[in-house]
Amino acid sequence: MTFEEKGKKSFTFTWKLENASYCFERKGEKIKSPAFVVDSIDETKWKLGFYPRGAEHGDYIAFNLFREADSKGPARVEIYYELAFIAKDGSVLKSYTPPKHVFLKGEGMGINKFETREEVFTTKRSAFLPRDILTARCRIWKSFGVMPLDIQCFARTRIGVEKRIFLWKLQNFNSLESEKKYTHWMKSLANGTPLMTLDLLMTGDLNSEEIIRFQVKPEDRVIKFSTLRLSLVDTSGNRIDCNQDAFWFDDAPKCQQFTFFFTKKKLMAKKSLYLPDGILSLHWEWTFSKGIVLEEIEKIQNGCSTFENKTSNGQNVKDQKMVPLSHTLNGYLKSVYDEHFLSDVKLKTSTGLFPAHKVILGASSSVFKAMFSNNMEEKDSDCVNIEDLSDDAISRMLLFIYTARLEDLTWESASNLYVAADKYAILGLKDICSSYLKDNLSPSNACEILLVADFHADGDLKSVVQDFILKHDEKIVNSDEWKLLMETNIKLAAETLCLRYK
């Protein structure tokens, strides 16, 4: 019989780890949750520890509960506990319930083979990591006696991520000099500051065949980890996968090197295919992890045994319509926005100017928060240039930030808002737009949104769109939209069709 079946009250800690794929911890290293205190167990303080690349076994994720060294209470505390990964609908995906255990101060305990990395990050990614968010849960019971109330504590940690996708065209490739560096600067889309320098140089090997090497060096000291997908773009515009790698930048020296898949000789042997007009076109997809940019305890709920706890009239709490923002405050913020009262920043598109408030933007978006609080040019500026988004997208984004409302969504506006929400990490807005796109899929727009989902590395949306395409494959695969998809991203088209045989 489980503790729930016995009616025994517990302390439940639910932790959301956002952008979980971009944890930079190596094997044996952990990322810890925010600390939480269990008042009814001698005010002891705890944290969860997540080992994304394993504690001892690299193929397995490890998951532990730690009692903090500065915890209150006696030196030895005995408890029962459960560790679990939770799905988006609240169901348990994986759990571990050991026998009762005595925790000393500064001690951790859990399981080193909690789940395989392949299951979490690949095979069942859509279940474990919807929108790349891992939800972990720990439940704690007293080993003797009972807790007076069920307590629910909710926390989150966000890994800072920036994506850069670009095409580097090297003119007159045949005439590039050996041992000479050719440099490309990558800049942040958020503020234009340098992210990384990328150097290309060719060196001869023992057989006098020139090898193409790349050297990468972060210019932003916050960057801890980066992933790369490098492709060659041929004469027809098709991308040929060449290199896929990951780099850590936590040890000096920070420069990292790798060798290009093709040598110069191999490129020249098929120059009509690989070097149209003597140009080497390289398609780069970089993702930069900047470590933890946010961690917080969001809320604590007392006296509810489950999320479906019933009120005095028998109605389930989950069935009640909760108002996330009071109508009064909602009205005040709308008034402040409409009247531009005390606005201290303007969002500038190529055709419009939108007054806003740094404190409100920063509270709604970790990207804006970083802009206005770190050593970035926007911190002391009254203008943020956003030339890649339309006036309509900015206007709707601001309306959501100030009022939590969206009005008259269409397919086009939802698609544009989705891009804006992802760029500025406005997760609530992104979730709403994603849901709208999923609910309004059709054979004529599925290919378009598949490209969007793949570009923004949204595994959850991508999976839904691919399922839709496979259900309507006869109509879609014979359409002009599918032909265009095959011309622009044949790998994505092939990946989608191959899902039918898995």
Side-chain angles (χ1 to χ4, degrees):
M1 181 177 288
T2 65
F3 291 104
E4 295 92 334
E5 290 168 340
K6 293 177 181 177
K8 200 167 184 181
K9 293 179 171 56
S10 65
F11 183 100
T12 301
F13 179 72
T14 303
W15 176 37
K16 291 185 179 293
L17 179 58
E18 300 172 6
N19 297 322
S21 296
Y22 301 102
C23 294
F24 59 80
E25 286 75 14
R26 291 187 173 96
K27 179 180 173 182
E29 298 176 342
K30 61 184 174 293
I31 180 170
K32 282 191 171 187
S33 73
F36 58 96
V37 175
V38 184
D39 289 331
S40 58
I41 304 181
D42 301 307
E43 298 183 21
T44 47
K45 184 162 70 170
W46 309 80
K47 285 185 179 181
L48 297 184
F50 172 64
Y51 295 77
R53 292 173 179 84
E56 298 176 357
H57 310 279
D59 294 334
Y60 287 85
I61 289 170
F63 188 22
N64 288 359
L65 172 65
F66 291 87
R67 185 184 177 196
E68 292 292 274
D70 62 349
S71 171
K72 292 184 180 180
R76 297 164 55 87
V77 169
E78 186 178 67
I79 62 168
Y80 289 101
Y81 69 99
E82 175 205 38
L83 300 174
F85 285 169
I86 306 300
K88 190 175 181 179
D89 62 3
S91 61
V92 175
L93 296 167
K94 185 76 175 183
S95 66
Y96 169 68
T97 307
K100 63 182 178 181
H101 181 77
V102 173
F103 281 84
L104 306 178
K105 292 183 179 182
E107 182 192 49
M109 186 60 61
I111 180 169
N112 286 338
K113 291 185 176 182
F114 185 71
E115 183 58 281
T116 64
R117 276 184 52 82
E118 184 178 5
E119 284 280 283
V120 174
F121 290 101
T122 306
T123 310
K124 297 181 179 177
R125 181 183 179 87
S126 60
F128 282 99
L129 298 174
R131 294 191 294 121
D132 205 16
I133 299 174
L134 175 72
T135 302
R137 188 183 73 187
C138 175
R139 307 183 75 179
I140 297 175
W141 294 267
K142 280 187 171 183
S143 61
F144 299 101
V146 295
M147 295 183 178
L149 294 172
D150 280 299
I151 307 293
Q152 299 266 6
C153 179
F154 301 89
R156 63 172 172 157
T157 298
R158 180 179 300 146
I159 307 297
V161 172
E162 180 162 352
K163 298 182 177 73
R164 289 289 281 110
I165 300 177
F166 60 91
L167 190 67
W168 184 8
K169 292 188 175 183
L170 290 121
Q171 307 284 340
N172 303 314
F173 174 76
N174 188 39
S175 62
L176 298 186
E177 300 177 29
S178 184
E179 303 295 342
K180 181 177 178 179
K181 286 185 179 181
Y182 297 87
T183 302
H184 181 88
W185 286 79
M186 282 179 277
K187 294 185 178 181
S188 170
L189 291 176
N191 51 47
T193 57
L195 281 174
M196 181 176 288
T197 54
L198 178 62
D199 295 323
L200 176 150
L201 65 157
M202 289 182 292
T203 57
D205 66 2
L206 295 176
N207 299 316
S208 298
E209 183 172 357
E210 287 181 298
I211 296 173
I212 302 170
R213 302 183 189 279
F214 292 98
Q215 178 175 285
V216 293
K217 180 181 179 182
E219 299 296 327
D220 186 341
R221 295 182 180 180
V222 180
I223 293 175
K224 304 294 184 184
F225 172 69
S226 183
T227 61
L228 162 69
R229 289 175 63 184
L230 173 59
S231 308
L232 182 151
V233 182
D234 66 16
T235 306
S236 302
N238 297 320
R239 295 208 300 262
I240 302 167
D241 288 340
C242 297
N243 295 74
Q244 188 166 343
D245 214 333
F247 305 96
W248 280 264
F249 300 103
D250 52 345
D251 298 322
K254 283 199 168 185
C255 291
Q256 299 279 1
Q257 294 187 4
F258 66 95
T259 301
F260 189 47
F261 178 78
F262 288 99
T263 62
K264 183 177 181 180
K265 182 178 179 180
K266 290 180 179 178
L267 291 173
M268 295 300 297
K270 295 185 177 181
K271 61 182 179 181
S272 61
L273 178 62
Y274 296 150
L275 302 171
D277 300 321
I279 301 172
L280 175 63
S281 297
L282 300 176
H283 183 271
W284 300 81
E285 297 182 23
W286 286 94
T287 304
F288 303 101
S289 172
K290 299 186 174 182
I292 295 174
V293 296
L294 172 72
E295 56 180 351
E296 63 180 357
I297 299 292
E298 292 185 293
K299 61 181 177 179
I300 298 175
Q301 294 178 347
N302 299 332
C304 54
S305 58
T306 70
F307 289 106
E308 299 181 11
N309 198 39
K310 294 189 176 181
T311 61
S312 57
N313 62 5
Q315 182 183 12
N316 283 340
V317 172
K318 72 170 186 176
D319 293 331
Q320 297 178 353
K321 291 185 177 180
M322 307 299 291
V323 181
L325 191 66
S326 75
H327 293 293
T328 303
L329 179 58
N330 202 333
Y332 286 157
L333 287 178
K334 181 69 164 60
S335 175
V336 166
Y337 173 60
D338 289 340
E339 297 172 11
H340 308 151
F341 181 66
L342 294 179
S343 64
D344 56 356
V345 68
K346 296 179 179 66
L347 305 186
K348 183 181 179 181
T349 67
S350 57
T351 56
L353 207 61
F354 297 85
H357 304 80
K358 289 183 178 180
V359 65
I360 294 177
L361 296 180
S364 305
S365 158
S366 61
V367 175
F368 281 125
K369 183 179 181 181
M371 279 187 194
F372 303 138
S373 58
N374 295 339
N375 243 356
M376 297 182 178
E377 60 184 53
E378 288 85 359
K379 180 178 180 181
D380 300 315
S381 172
D382 63 354
C383 187
V384 177
N385 291 310
I386 312 177
E387 296 185 357
D388 57 335
L389 295 176
S390 67
D391 288 4
D392 181 69
I394 295 297
S395 178
R396 289 174 180 272
M397 180 181 77
L398 289 173
L399 179 66
F400 180 83
I401 287 175
Y402 281 82
T403 69
R405 294 204 323 262
L406 287 177
E407 298 176 349
D408 303 322
L409 266 186
T410 63
W411 178 265
E412 182 180 3
S413 62
S415 301
N416 293 333
L417 266 178
Y418 175 89
V419 173
D422 183 68
K423 177 176 180 178
Y424 291 106
I426 307 172
L427 299 183
L429 177 59
K430 182 179 177 181
D431 196 39
I432 292 172
C433 293
S434 177
S435 295
Y436 180 93
L437 297 173
K438 291 174 187 175
D439 293 340
N440 291 276
L441 282 170
S442 71
S444 62
N445 62 36
C447 294
E448 172 196 344
I449 208 61
L450 178 61
L451 282 168
V452 171
D454 184 64
F455 181 84
H456 292 275
D458 188 336
D460 182 50
L461 178 58
K462 181 179 177 181
S463 177
V464 171
V465 179
Q466 287 177 323
D467 287 344
F468 180 88
I469 289 173
L470 293 178
K471 289 178 182 177
H472 303 83
D473 57 349
E474 185 174 347
K475 182 177 290 187
I476 293 176
V477 171
N478 293 311
S479 68
D480 291 337
E481 289 80 10
W482 183 262
K483 292 176 183 177
L484 180 60
L485 174 66
M486 291 185 66
E487 290 174 3
T488 56
N489 196 330
I490 191 169
K491 180 182 176 183
L492 180 60
E495 173 196 323
T496 301
L497 290 181
C498 286
L499 291 174
R500 177 173 297 283
Y501 304 101
K502 288 188 175 181

